[in-house]
């Protein structure tokens, strides 16, 4: 019989650079859960001791073939993993993971990068459509966009 405190399967995804660093700072929030980290840059998971982890193809709005490759990789992962929660700090691969996760019944969380101090990022604006919880790390950006604000990770 499952316990009331059974852990959740979480997919935590971020592109390389600042998005990944901010996701890594959020790791204490995942304590006690089954987390699979996804990123677009080989070597990052090892550098941050983020395990288990997988590398997925990177993409952006200008690379249609790469978008398809990334979507295919994410779809296969969602089918295999069946996460309870998908969380991302950006960018486009994270939005795609949220959309696919939601199709599979996962709760979805978007935390827009702290680098977007004036307005929501383009990916963040897309994520609004699929995120159950849509957040900015800037209070004034959150208020203007209609997002949630709970502080910043940096």
């Amino acid at each position: 019989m499952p316990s009331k405190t059974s852990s959740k399967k979480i997919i935590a995804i971020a592109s390389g650079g600042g998005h990944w660093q901010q996701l890594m700072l959020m790791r204490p929030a995942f304590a006690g859960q089954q987390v699979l980290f996804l990123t677009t840059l080989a070597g990052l998971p090892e550098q941050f001791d983020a395990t288990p982890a997988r590398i997925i193809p990177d993409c952006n709005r200008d690379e249609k073939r790469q978008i398809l490759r990334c979507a295919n990789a994410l779809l296969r992962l969602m089918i295999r993993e069946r996460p309870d929660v998908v969380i991302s700090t950006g960018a486009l691969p994270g939005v795609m993971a949220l959309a696919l996760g939601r199709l599979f019944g996962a709760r979805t969380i978007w935390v827009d990068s702290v680098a977007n101090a004036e307005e929501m990022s383009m990916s963040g604006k897309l994520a609004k459509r699929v995120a159950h919880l849509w957040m900015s790390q800037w209070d004034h950006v959150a208020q203007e966009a209609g997002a949630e604000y709970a502080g910043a990770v940096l």
Side-chain angles (χ1 to χ4, degrees):
M1 174 187 281
S3 72
K4 290 182 181 179
T5 59
S6 61
S7 65
K8 301 278 186 200
K9 285 182 88 172
I10 298 173
I11 288 183
I13 176 171
S15 298
H19 298 292
W20 177 258
Q21 290 175 343
Q22 290 170 58
L23 186 65
M24 293 296 95
L25 290 171
M26 295 170 61
R27 282 193 289 183
F30 311 144
Q33 309 305 315
Q34 302 170 51
V35 183
L36 174 61
F37 294 99
L38 303 180
T39 190
T40 57
L41 191 56
L44 276 182
E46 296 81 8
Q47 189 177 9
F48 287 84
D49 196 26
T51 58
R54 302 245 172 77
I55 306 302
I56 57 161
D58 199 1
C59 64
N60 64 54
R61 65 183 179 186
D62 298 325
E63 299 174 332
K64 306 305 184 224
R65 284 190 182 167
Q66 284 300 103
I67 291 172
L68 292 174
R69 284 187 65 227
C70 182
N72 184 45
L74 288 169
L75 178 60
R76 285 183 284 133
L77 271 164
M78 295 299 167
I79 291 169
R80 186 171 45 252
E81 298 297 329
R82 302 286 180 166
D84 298 303
V85 177
V86 178
I87 184 168
S88 182
T89 52
L92 183 56
V95 176
M96 294 167 45
L98 264 63
L100 289 168
R102 188 164 181 146
L103 285 175
F104 283 87
R107 300 296 293 172
T108 56
I109 304 168
W110 177 267
V111 182
D112 210 49
S113 174
V114 75
N116 299 305
E118 299 303 319
E119 66 179 354
M120 276 290 202
S121 66
M122 183 177 297
S123 294
K125 290 173 185 174
L126 290 173
K128 180 179 185 177
R129 298 176 184 200
V130 294
H132 289 99
L133 179 57
W134 187 58
M135 304 180 79
S136 171
Q137 295 184 62
W138 294 96
D139 189 29
H140 66 280
V141 172
Q143 286 180 24
E144 185 175 302
E148 297 290 324
Y149 172 76
V153 297
L154 292 179

